[in-house]
Amino acid sequence: MAIARLRLATMFNGRGLAMETVDEIWAGDLFKRREEAEDLIGYLQSVSTRPAVRDEGHAHVLAVDTSYGQGKSYFLRRLARHMAHEHAVAFVDAWVDDLEDQPMVALVATLDKALQPWVEQYPELADRLIEFRSRAGRVAKIVGVGLAKRAASFVIMASGAEALGNEITKSGDVVKDLTKDSLKDAANDAVDDVTTGFGARMASSMEARISRFREGQAAIVDMKAGLSQIVDTLVKAGMKLPITIVIDELDRCRPTYAIKVLEELKHLFDVPGVAFVLGMHGQQLAHSVTAAYGTGFDSQSYLRRFFSRRYVLREVALTPLVEKLCAELAIPIDRLQAPRSHAVATRGRRLWSLFPA
């Protein structure tokens, strides 16, 4: 009965309205990408059901790579809608979520939304999802505290440096001759002095830091275990794996945010039965990584450690798209193309004009 209910849920969205058919999803597919999508869906399904792969204990990360103007976003959005007929699928536009600065929040929110149609049909899944949100919340809190402390240290550092600069201005020539390294050391000492004042209240001993570190590790393990429980619940209900999260526009994000997305996928959502499909212009994303880590950094090798497989969309001619746009805008194409004979004759006259008799 549970299986029947879940299969029924795949035919309807969360509001009880009938889902679009696969033919409707791919209507207007000018670049004929549907076949590629079906191949990738079959690949992800086969990978998620292989015992050897699942026993490795990792999520599967598929990078879909193509240059700009090849319809990547169109493809990924329809791939997600196509997969949603038999899978739980979440779609994340990383560029839109760039302002959040916490990718984990966007990922958990979209995954929660993707699972809602099944929650109404299967109460046990609802309990698993509530527990997963709670565990993810604990991780987000720890991450948030860490960011706040880092931000505070930057403020302290800036204030200390400014104060030292003012004092140096007032001082004589001997102080002004301090080297840059000495100034940096002085700033660090000032920060240490300020933070020492808070030491008693904040209990910033090594034991306390080790305790916080272990607490963070345990929270991450619990969060991943909660996601694994969701996967197991869906399998028991007869749903096809993998749970899929499609992330688009990584190459358009701020370099630091794009790196953070990849790192959090690796550390927080790396669970068997889950798959990520990352849409990107690989070369541009590599440039973003280089911008973050500096010239000479091997960004290509760095990115490869995040991907299980890389798929390059086949290149297509843009003629169908141009013809469609011209038709929609009522632009007569024949007026944009000179007859071949006229073009040849014109080029001939220009060529002979370079060699007067």
Side-chain angles (χ1 to χ4, degrees):
M1 181 63 70
I3 296 176
R5 286 201 302 268
L6 283 172
R7 287 177 176 169
L8 181 62
T10 65
M11 301 170 59
F12 295 87
N13 61 21
R15 294 170 295 178
L17 301 176
M19 289 182 66
E20 58 195 339
T21 66
V22 173
D23 289 337
E24 290 171 339
I25 291 171
W26 292 100
D29 177 23
L30 299 177
F31 294 161
K32 309 301 180 186
R33 298 284 194 197
R34 176 175 174 175
E35 182 177 347
E36 287 184 277
E38 291 173 342
D39 288 343
L40 290 182
I41 292 171
Y43 167 74
L44 291 173
Q45 289 176 342
S46 66
V47 166
S48 65
T49 56
R50 294 176 196 167
V53 175
R54 292 204 65 189
D55 289 344
E56 291 179 357
H58 298 291
H60 195 81
V61 182
L62 173 65
V64 176
D65 192 356
T66 188
S67 58
Y68 294 133
Q70 291 290 308
K72 169 176 58 63
S73 293
Y74 177 97
F75 172 78
L76 291 176
R77 289 182 180 277
R78 280 153 184 78
L79 172 70
R81 287 155 56 186
H82 189 154
M83 287 194 73
H85 277 257
E86 294 184 311
H87 302 265
V89 182
F91 186 91
V92 178
D93 187 327
W95 195 21
V96 171
D97 297 328
D98 195 345
L99 295 176
E100 171 63 34
D101 205 39
Q102 283 201 29
M104 189 193 78
V105 176
L107 292 170
V108 172
T110 52
L111 182 59
D112 181 85
K113 180 180 178 181
L115 291 172
Q116 285 307 314
W118 285 272
V119 166
E120 298 176 3
Q121 304 292 330
Y122 203 65
E124 183 180 351
L125 179 60
D127 296 335
R128 299 297 188 195
L129 192 55
I130 290 172
E131 181 63 24
F132 173 68
R133 286 198 301 262
S134 175
R135 296 179 182 186
R138 287 196 292 271
V139 173
K141 182 178 179 180
I142 292 171
V143 171
V145 170
L147 291 174
K149 288 182 178 179
R150 288 178 59 192
S153 68
F154 292 146
V155 171
I156 293 171
M157 177 69 79
S159 300
E162 183 179 359
L164 285 171
N166 291 337
E167 292 303 316
I168 289 172
T169 301
K170 298 175 185 177
S171 301
D173 293 334
V174 175
V175 179
K176 291 180 180 180
D177 288 338
L178 287 171
T179 63
K180 291 182 179 179
D181 289 339
S182 297
L183 179 60
K184 185 182 297 183
D185 291 339
N188 288 332
D189 290 340
V191 174
D192 290 339
D193 291 340
V194 174
T195 54
T196 299
F198 292 100
R201 280 179 270 174
M202 298 179 66
S204 57
S205 63
M206 181 57 70
E207 290 78 7
R209 295 187 182 196
I210 292 174
S211 177
R212 287 196 297 270
F213 174 75
R214 289 174 177 169
E215 179 185 352
Q217 282 188 318
I220 291 173
V221 170
D222 286 345
M223 175 181 166
K224 293 171 70 173
L227 184 55
S228 292
Q229 289 172 357
I230 290 176
V231 172
D232 292 340
T233 300
L234 291 174
V235 170
K236 291 177 183 177
M239 181 179 169
K240 287 186 177 180
L241 293 179
I243 297 175
T244 306
I245 301 177
V246 181
I247 304 177
D248 193 17
E249 306 287 22
L250 267 180
D251 49 285
R252 296 182 184 270
C253 297
R254 288 176 292 116
T256 52
Y257 186 80
I259 292 170
K260 196 170 183 181
V261 170
L262 294 174
E263 292 285 0
E264 292 195 0
L265 292 185
K266 186 75 172 177
H267 296 301
L268 304 180
F269 295 86
D270 191 18
V271 170
V274 176
F276 292 92
V277 179
L278 309 181
M280 66 187 70
H281 186 324
Q283 186 177 7
Q284 292 302 317
L285 183 58
H287 290 326
S288 293
V289 174
T290 300
Y293 286 107
T295 304
F297 182 77
D298 189 356
S299 56
Q300 295 287 357
S301 296
Y302 171 82
L303 289 173
R304 278 196 294 271
R305 75 187 184 95
F306 293 102
F307 308 146
S308 307
R309 288 289 183 272
R310 175 173 169 266
Y311 177 79
V312 180
L313 287 177
R314 59 179 174 78
E315 292 191 10
V316 294
L318 299 180
T319 303
L321 178 60
V322 173
E323 291 177 345
K324 179 177 182 293
L325 293 175
C326 286
E328 290 177 350
L329 299 173
I331 299 176
I333 297 180
D334 56 336
R335 294 188 182 183
L336 301 179
Q337 297 175 333
R340 179 173 177 79
S341 58
H342 173 72
V344 171
T346 301
R347 286 198 298 271
R349 285 196 297 271
R350 290 176 179 171
L351 180 62
W352 285 110
S353 67
L354 299 176
F355 304 95

